[in-house]
Amino acid sequence: MDAVVNRNLLFAYFYAVGRALDDAHYYLVRTRAPWHGRGMTVRDWDAMAMLLPAIQLADAPLARELLLRGCELHGYAPGRGVNYLDGTLFEPGFSLEGAASYAIAVERYNPGDG
């Protein structure tokens, strides 16, 4: 199990977090790998339920900043589908787990860790 956690942690920390050049904010994305067709997009459930806990293990202050940034950009319409990293809709579609992911992420965030 440690190998799976370490692999996900490595991917989440180095491939799923991007820092913008224009505003210097951090963003959660599917992947920064250039060969991925939907790389600079984000799904709510992927970001809040899978990537954020892994990043919290590695860097809790960064996880807090990503949680706040994700709620700021995508929290106004949770679960609406796939978004670009700036909050613009990429692919419409509703998912209940995407809508619930914000409440779950905020509830599971433990400020004592960071």
Side-chain angles (χ1 to χ4, degrees), residues 25-87:
H25 285 112
Y26 286 102
Y27 293 92
L28 280 168
V29 294
R30 281 186 177 172
T31 180
R32 292 186 307 140
W35 55 83
H36 193 279
R38 296 182 182 178
M40 297 309 277
T41 60
V42 63
R43 296 185 72 206
D44 300 329
W45 180 253
D46 295 342
M48 296 296 171
M50 289 192 257
L51 299 175
L52 203 59
I55 293 168
Q56 189 174 0
L57 284 173
D59 190 356
L62 177 61
R64 180 183 186 278
E65 186 173 343
L66 289 169
L67 177 62
L68 292 174
R69 188 71 176 152
C71 288
E72 175 187 344
L73 287 176
H74 308 293
Y76 65 92
R80 72 176 183 162
V82 180
N83 300 310
Y84 286 110
L85 62 103
D86 66 350

